[in-house]
Amino acid sequence: MSQPPQSEVQELHIWLERTVNWSRSDSRDALRDTCRFLNPLRDFLQQLLVQINSTSSTAEITTRLPVLGQLLGQLCQNHLVIANDTCRKLVFNCLWGLYSDNPSNPLETETNLWIRKVLSQLVMEEEDVEQRTLVTRMNVSPLHYHHKVHKKMVAQLLEVIEKRCSSYDGAQRCSCESSLAVSEACVPLWLPSLEDAALSLLESALTHSEPTPQKLEQQVLQSVLPQACARHCSIFLVVNDILRSILMKREENGRVRRFIQTFTCCFLRELTVLQPQMSVSLKAFFPQAPPNLLLPLLTLPSEVPQEAWRLHLNWLSGSLRSLTEQEEEADGDSGSRGHRTIFEVWFLLVQCAGWVQVATQLLVTCEAEHSGGLLWLLTFYHHPTNRGHCRTEQLVHAAEAWERSRLLLSFSACPPSGQQLQYFVARLSPHSQQPALSPVLILDLLVNTAVFSQPSGSTDNFKMVVERCGLVSEAARALESLEQRFTGRSSLSCDANGAHLRIKALQKALPQSHAAM
């Protein structure tokens, strides 16, 4: 590797020292000095760009010019330099020249990460002393300044992509690798818009009348966010952090959970389509999830033989139980709000709630001696923390709700007694004074028992209970969600046709205004 001329290295150090001095002062003299050297700076950056483009790799140019990155970093922090069209364009082109489409060593990987960080800092709207001084003297608002800089940065990125594609003749399609590499590098420029898009989609799903499962899925897919997340791990991590934050604040909100489940399902479907072309591991998409639970939870029930479902769920339940008990014992405070590991495991369970649905389905027909693991899994899903209650007591309440649901809909075709009705009314009504167990869990047990058991009187009893409890809309929505599972891409039972017919019978029994959902 040839060494650069000594004069070239000296000139680079001179410019670095000069830019560092500019950054240390916001005086008028410093601003005048910056403006005075803009033309020489443009000439020097042009020379640098030629050298960068003439080298074979990022490793080579950074070895030849070790302080090159420091200089570019200093220039990116100088608002006056970045506000100059020609200087900004040259600085950005130098950065693109250093960016490796396919990093082959740790140095190139670290350089790529650094470039993304620099871009992210450029579009941050936080005001600092230098920025306030500059925008005040330019007589523009900070928002207007950032908007203009952001807009020009995106325009120059498009120019880079167009130039790379122009090297192909008309008979060839432009290779996607270069475009995707530039796009990946520019994820920080999309970040504010990405957060807006994710929050707007979530707000739309939560503030309007709750959509049906099918319409919610269509809404999520039309946003193109699942597709973008599947193609770019960094985008998924941003969106996933937003969902994680929302769930932390609204862990008991059923609509939030359903949105997260739908979004994750759409994302995993898109990821499956791309997987043969992707080299990114699942661990990169879910870095905070326990590795031993990641693949078992992300595996769809349709990908596991039906006869192995119970064994799979018992293993999941045992692993989750062991992990949560260890975490709670280590913390020593069962009343604290959510331990980090427990929350991350629960968050993954919420994202992969297909196994929760299967657990509810299997619980309906299993014997009492086989119900323990399934009941624990369902109780943990609906009550992940020990806040305000004891999980042991929750298991007792869950077991009682399971037995009463089977007694009401499975073991007898007789109309429910007043005592039976009172039990469900006391726990399911909107103004219930006994919220010892999640009403959603009890309703799920009722719906699944009505669908997967076959006594002749279950339909009438089911209708009577949900009407008396004022949960007709919720029951209709739960039935439609079950129906979507059987008519969608992955059936959860060999008896899909029989279950589908029972769902239709239950929907028909409900008042038409709600069944029409």
Side-chain angles (χ1 to χ4, degrees), residues 65 97 151 225 264 276 279 305 308 356 358 397 403 405 447 451 459 484 498:
L65 303 172
K151 187 174 181 179
L225 270 180
T264 307
S279 59
V356 176
V358 174
H397 291 304
E403 288 287 357
S405 297
V447 170
V451 170
T459 300
Q484 188 179 27

Side-chain angles (χ1 to χ4, degrees), residues 182-416:
V182 174
S183 300
E184 183 76 13
C186 301
V187 165
L189 301 177
W190 302 342
L191 188 57
S193 299
L194 177 60
E195 292 176 340
D196 287 343
L199 291 173
S200 295
L201 177 62
L202 182 60
E203 182 181 6
S204 177
L206 297 182
T207 56
H208 301 113
S209 58
E210 185 166 7
T212 64
Q214 186 175 10
K215 287 183 178 179
L216 179 59
E217 181 175 324
Q218 291 174 351
Q219 190 176 7
V220 169
L221 286 174
Q222 287 172 357
S223 72
V224 198
L225 270 180
Q227 297 90 321
C229 287
R231 289 184 176 274
H232 298 284
C233 181
S234 51
I235 293 180
F236 175 77
L237 293 176
V238 172
V239 176
N240 214 36
D241 276 341
I242 294 172
L243 298 180
R244 179 186 286 105
S245 299
I246 297 295
L247 189 62
M248 280 183 176
K249 298 175 182 177
R250 306 177 71 175
E251 66 179 38
E252 297 180 0
N253 190 302
R255 295 181 69 173
V256 171
R257 294 191 197 183
R258 284 189 288 274
F259 177 86
I260 292 174
Q261 294 160 15
T262 302
F263 181 87
T264 307
C265 182
C266 293
F267 158 73
L268 291 174
R269 193 183 307 155
E270 295 293 332
L271 192 63
T272 301
V273 174
L274 293 172
Q275 199 57 47
Q277 312 165 27
M278 299 278 290
S279 59
V280 182
S281 66
L282 284 173
K283 182 60 180 175
F285 286 96
F286 300 91
Q288 301 185 58
N292 66 318
L293 289 168
L294 186 57
L295 189 58
L297 278 172
L298 290 178
T299 301
L300 296 175
S302 59
E303 298 171 347
V304 177
Q306 186 174 346
E307 57 271 17
W309 283 353
R310 192 180 305 278
L311 183 63
H312 187 85
L313 283 166
N314 284 334
W315 182 89
L316 281 175
S317 178
S319 300
L320 289 169
R321 187 169 190 169
S322 175
L323 190 149
T324 54
E325 288 176 351
Q326 290 174 9
E327 183 79 7
E328 290 169 350
E329 182 179 353
D331 184 83
D333 180 12
S334 61
S336 63
R337 179 179 173 82
H339 314 290
R340 188 66 191 179
T341 303
I342 295 177
F343 177 83
E344 289 301 328
V345 171
W346 178 63
F347 181 39
L348 185 61
L349 185 62
V350 170
Q351 293 175 299
C352 309
W355 284 111
V356 176
Q357 297 165 348
V358 174
T360 312
Q361 173 183 330
L362 294 182
L363 185 62
V364 169
T365 55
C366 79
E367 300 299 328
E369 58 267 25
H370 302 306
S371 65
L374 299 176
L375 279 170
W376 190 95
L377 183 67
L378 294 177
T379 304
F380 173 71
Y381 174 77
H382 289 281
H383 299 280
T385 66
N386 258 342
R387 187 175 76 255
H389 58 74
C390 175
R391 185 167 287 118
T392 302
E393 295 177 2
Q394 291 295 322
L395 284 170
V396 173
H397 291 304
E400 182 184 13
W402 170 58
E403 288 287 357
R404 286 182 177 270
S405 297
R406 286 166 27 117
L407 182 64
L408 177 71
L409 301 176
S410 300
F411 299 152
S412 172
C414 301

Side-chain angles (χ1 to χ4, degrees), residues 419-463:
Q419 185 179 7
Q420 285 178 313
L421 276 177
Q422 183 58 34
Y423 170 85
F424 290 104
V425 169
R427 288 157 181 81
L428 288 175
S429 297
H431 304 294
S432 169
Q433 300 300 315
Q434 300 183 34
L437 192 67
S438 167
V440 178
L441 172 55
I442 300 177
L443 182 61
D444 282 347
L445 289 172
L446 280 171
V447 170
N448 279 268
T449 304
V451 170
F452 297 109
S453 61
Q454 305 180 44
S456 58
S458 64
T459 300
D460 293 335
N461 289 358
F462 176 78
K463 175 187 176 184

